[in-house]
C-alpha cells in the first residue's frame, strides 16, 4: 500500500516523490497506521522495491493490501502522478466506507467521479461484476485498466481475448468500445480498439501504444479512431477458423452442424455475405459466422425480392436462439446500457449498403435481392471476387 496515517492523523502518500532520506527521518520519529483498519503498518524503504507500507504479520485488514506486485505498485503510482500532473483532483487508494471498496485511484473529471482500478492479476467474474455494480450504484464511473502483461497478440492485428479481458471493455461517449491497458515498465498505455471477434477467443483488433508522458486523459477516455480489418485479411482468418472448427467440432457443435446441412448449406461453400465483421459483434460471444447463419436460415433464406422483413420477427428469432442456448451473450459489467441486438442491426445495415436490403422505415426492411448459395468451389470463388469489388466500392462511398 502507498498511503498511511501517522498517529496524529497526518496522511502520508507515497504516490508523491519523497526522498529516501526524508522518509527515513520520518520513520525514525513517527508510527504509521492503516487508514482502514487503524492497525500499525511499517514503512518499507528497500532498494529493490517501491517505497511502500505493509501490515505487520498476523494483523487483519478488510482490504487485501498485502502481496501487491511491483507491477501493481508501480502502475498505480505512475497513473496517480499522471493525473496529478494534469491538475485532475485525485486520491490514491481512496477508501469509500459506504461500499467498503478501495479503488486504486479516485479522481474527478468533467463533473464525473471516477473509480480507477489497475488490475494486474486475474479476478473472478463475479467479483469484477460486484465491484463494478457497487461503483455504478454509488455515483462512480468505473475505469478498469488492465495490465499490459495480459495482452497477447497472435499475429499482427489478431489478438487472443478471454472473458477476463472482455470485462475491461468500456464505451467512449461516441459509442466506441475498447479495452485500456497500461504497462509501468515501459510507461505505455495500450488501447485495444476496433475489436472484431472471429471466434470466441480470437479477434481482429488494433493495439496502439501511447507514452504516458505525452498523453492527456481525454485520449484514454475518448479514443476517436476506427481501424476496421480489411476484408481480405478477415476472410483469410475466417476461412482458416471455419476449416479447423468444422474438422474438429465438439459435441455441443453437432446440432448446429446438423441444422446447417439440413438447410442445404456447406460451411466450406458459404455465401460471402455470411460471416462479416460489424462493430458490436463483440457483444455476442457466439462467433459471427454462426449467428449470421442463424439469421439467414431463420429469416432471409425464404425471402424473395420485394418481400418485407420486420425487426420484430428478427428480434424474435434472436431471442429464440438465446433461449435455446444456441447464442451466447457476453457479460460486460461496464456496458450496462449497451444492447447486443445492435450487432444484428449493424449487420442488416451492412446488407443494405451491399444492396441486398432496403430500409423502408425504422422497423421494416425490404429484400432487394436474395443471397445466393454457391454450389461449387468455383462458384464460391467467383462470388467472392464479385463481393470483394462491391465491398470496396461500398467503403469508398462511406
Amino acid at each position: 500500500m502507498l498511503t498511511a496515517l501517522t498517529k496524529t492523523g497526518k496522511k502520508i502518500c507515497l504516490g508523491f516523490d519523497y526522498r529516501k532520506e526524508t522518509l527515513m527521518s520520518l520513520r525514525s520519529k513517527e508510527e504509521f497506521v492503516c487508514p482502514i483498519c487503524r492497525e500499525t503498518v511499517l514503512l518499507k524503504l528497500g532498494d529493490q522495491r517501491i517505497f511502500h507500507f505493509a501490515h505487520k504479520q498476523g494483523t487483519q485488514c478488510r482490504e487485501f493490501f498485502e502481496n501487491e506486485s511491483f507491477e501493481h505498485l508501480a502502475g498505480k503510482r505512475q497513473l496517480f502522478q499522471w493525473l496529478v500532473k494534469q491538475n485532475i483532483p485525485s486520491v490514491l487508494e481512496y477508501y469509500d466506507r459506504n461500499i467498503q471498496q478501495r479503488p486504486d485511484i479516485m479522481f474527478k473529471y468533467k463533473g464525473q467521479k471516477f473509480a480507477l482500478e489497475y488490475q494486474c492479476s486475474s479476478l473472478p467474474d463475479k467479483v469484477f461484476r460486484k465491484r463494478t455494480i457497487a461503483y455504478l450504484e454509488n455515483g462512480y464511473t468505473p475505469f478498469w485498466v488492465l495490465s499490459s502483461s495480459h495482452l497477447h497478440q497472435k499475429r499482427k492485428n489478431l489478438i487472443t481475448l478471454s472473458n477476463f479481458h472482455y470485462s475491461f471493455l468500456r464505451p467512449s461517449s461516441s459509442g466506441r468500445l475498447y479495452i485500456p491497458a497500461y504497462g509501468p515498465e515501459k510507461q505505455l498505455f495500450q488501447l485495444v480498439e476496433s475489436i472484431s471477434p472471429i471466434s470466441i477467443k480470437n479477434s481482429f483488433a488494433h493495439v496502439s501504444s501511447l507514452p504516458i508522458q505525452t498523453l492527456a486523459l481525454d485520449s484514454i477516455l475518448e479514443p476517436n479512431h476506427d481501424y476496421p480489418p480489411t476484408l481480405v485479411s478477415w476472410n483469410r482468418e475466417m476461412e482458416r477458423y471455419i476449416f479447423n472448427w468444422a474438422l474438429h467440432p465438439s459435441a455441443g457443435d453437432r446440432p448446429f452442424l446438423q441444422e446447417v446441412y439440413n438447410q442445404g448449406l456447406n460451411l466450406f461453400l458459404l455465401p460471402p455475405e455470411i460471416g462479416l465483421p460489424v462493430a458490436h459483434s463483440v457483444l455476442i460471444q457466439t462467433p459471427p459466422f454462426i449467428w449470421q447463419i442463424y439469421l439467414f436460415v431463420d429469416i432471409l433464406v425464404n425471402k424473395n425480392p420485394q418481400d418485407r422483413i420486420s425487426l420484430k420477427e428478427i428480434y424474435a428469432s434472436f431471442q429464440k436462439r438465446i433461449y435455446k442456448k444456441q447464442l451466447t451473450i457476453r457479460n460486460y459489467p461496464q456496458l450496462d446500457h449497451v444492447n447486443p441486438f445492435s450487432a444484428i442491426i449493424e449487420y442488416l445495415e451492412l446488407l443494405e449498403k451491399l444492396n441486398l436490403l432496403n430500409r423502408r422505415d425504422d422497423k421494416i426492411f425490404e429484400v432487394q435481392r436474395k443471397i445466393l448459395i454457391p454450389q461449387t468451389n468455383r462458384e464460391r470463388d467467383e462470388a467472392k471476387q464479385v463481393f470483394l469489388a462491391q465491398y470496396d466500392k461500398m467503403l469508398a462511398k462511406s
Side-chain angles (χ1 to χ4, degrees):
M1 57 191 283
L2 296 175
T3 55
L5 300 176
T6 66
K7 290 287 187 178
T8 57
K10 181 182 178 181
K11 183 178 180 181
I12 305 298
C13 176
L14 300 180
F16 297 106
D17 291 323
Y18 283 92
R19 290 166 55 95
K20 185 173 183 178
E21 293 78 9
T22 303
L23 292 175
M24 290 180 68
S25 174
L26 186 63
R27 185 173 63 179
S28 67
K29 302 173 185 175
E30 294 279 4
E31 290 185 45
F32 306 100
V33 297
C34 170
I36 298 173
C37 67
R38 305 292 173 169
E39 296 197 31
T40 300
V41 293
L42 304 176
L43 175 55
K44 302 284 189 174
L45 300 175
D47 295 324
Q48 301 300 316
R49 296 193 72 196
I50 289 174
F51 301 155
H52 65 284
F53 296 100
H55 288 77
K56 290 182 177 180
Q57 289 188 353
T59 60
Q60 294 184 349
C61 183
R62 283 176 290 183
E63 287 289 328
F64 298 99
F65 285 109
E66 309 310 323
N67 300 317
E68 282 187 281
S69 65
F70 171 85
E71 180 186 28
H72 186 248
L73 285 169
K76 68 179 178 180
R77 185 173 188 271
Q78 290 172 17
L79 292 169
F80 172 71
Q81 292 184 341
W82 171 64
L83 292 168
V84 169
K85 286 177 182 177
Q86 298 174 74
N87 296 315
I88 296 170
S90 306
V91 180
L92 185 63
E93 298 178 344
Y94 174 79
Y95 183 63
D96 188 322
R97 294 190 178 277
N98 291 327
I99 58 175
Q100 296 188 11
Q101 288 186 193
R102 178 193 60 95
D104 288 317
I105 305 167
M106 186 277 287
F107 66 93
K108 295 180 180 179
Y109 187 64
K110 293 185 177 179
Q112 293 185 68
K113 184 171 63 172
F114 287 83
L116 190 157
E117 293 272 16
Y118 178 54
Q119 194 65 33
C120 295
S121 58
S122 295
L123 195 65
D125 177 72
K126 185 181 293 185
V127 175
F128 199 114
R129 187 167 185 80
K130 180 181 178 181
R131 288 189 192 174
T132 302
I133 291 173
Y135 286 138
L136 290 168
E137 290 178 345
N138 287 272
Y140 293 92
T141 298
F143 183 28
W144 289 88
V145 178
L146 176 67
S147 163
S148 293
S149 62
H150 284 275
L151 297 180
H152 304 290
Q153 287 186 261
K154 297 186 68 174
R155 288 184 288 280
K156 182 181 179 181
N157 294 330
L158 192 70
I159 191 168
T160 298
L161 298 172
S162 66
N163 284 334
F164 173 66
H165 293 99
Y166 278 121
S167 295
F168 293 81
L169 196 73
R170 70 185 316 274
S172 67
S173 60
S174 64
R176 289 182 174 86
L177 303 178
Y178 68 103
I179 295 171
Y182 182 70
E185 184 177 354
K186 296 182 179 179
Q187 297 187 32
L188 289 175
F189 262 106
Q190 290 184 290
L191 296 183
V192 185
E193 301 174 83
S194 300
I195 303 170
S196 297
I198 283 184
S199 64
I200 291 176
K201 293 185 177 180
N202 295 328
S203 295
F204 270 92
H206 183 273
V207 182
S208 55
S209 296
L210 308 167
I212 192 172
Q213 296 88 346
T214 58
L215 200 62
L217 177 59
D218 274 335
S219 299
I220 302 302
L221 294 180
E222 299 293 341
N224 56 7
H225 298 290
D226 285 323
Y227 306 93
T230 66
L231 197 59
V232 172
S233 299
W234 172 269
N235 282 339
R236 182 170 58 246
E237 291 294 341
M238 182 62 72
E239 288 176 4
R240 177 186 292 155
Y241 169 68
I242 291 175
F243 180 80
N244 292 327
W245 184 87
L247 287 180
H248 307 285
S250 67
D253 296 326
R254 292 193 181 113
F256 167 75
L257 290 171
Q258 187 62 51
E259 183 171 358
V260 166
Y261 294 132
N262 288 343
Q263 291 289 338
L265 290 173
N266 182 330
L267 289 183
F268 303 111
L269 296 174
L270 287 177
E273 295 89 352
I274 292 178
L276 297 177
V278 294
H280 284 79
S281 185
V282 69
L283 301 176
I284 304 174
Q285 181 170 303
T286 306
F289 88 92
I290 293 180
W291 65 256
Q292 290 175 26
I293 283 178
Y294 282 141
L295 179 60
F296 177 72
V297 300
D298 288 349
I299 305 294
L300 297 174
V301 69
N302 294 319
K303 301 293 184 181
N304 295 305
Q306 298 184 341
D307 285 349
R308 295 192 173 188
I309 304 169
S310 70
L311 285 182
K312 183 178 179 180
E313 62 179 309
I314 295 172
Y315 185 75
S317 160
F318 182 64
Q319 289 297 318
K320 179 190 73 174
R321 295 291 183 174
I322 293 172
Y323 178 77
K324 290 184 175 181
K325 302 188 185 316
Q326 295 166 329
L327 292 181
T328 302
I329 304 304
R330 288 193 188 276
N331 178 19
Y332 293 109
Q334 298 185 86
L335 304 182
D336 55 332
H337 298 302
V338 180
N339 187 346
F341 190 67
S342 59
I344 310 297
I345 300 294
E346 289 170 344
Y347 179 59
L348 295 171
E349 290 173 344
L350 181 55
L351 296 183
E352 181 185 14
K353 291 177 181 177
L354 294 167
N355 299 317
L356 280 100
L357 300 177
N358 180 34
R359 190 156 196 166
R360 305 297 298 182
D361 57 37
D362 290 344
K363 299 180 180 180
I364 299 292
F365 286 89
E366 183 179 272
V367 176
Q368 296 292 97
R369 60 181 178 88
K370 290 179 70 72
I371 294 177
L372 300 178
I373 303 173
Q375 300 300 311
T376 64
N377 287 333
R378 181 176 178 178
E379 286 186 13
R380 181 200 62 187
D381 292 340
E382 289 175 350
K384 187 188 301 182
Q385 293 305 315
V386 172
F387 180 79
L388 283 172
Q390 187 179 15
Y391 195 89
D392 289 341
K393 187 176 179 180
M394 177 203 73
L395 289 179
K397 289 181 180 178
S398 60

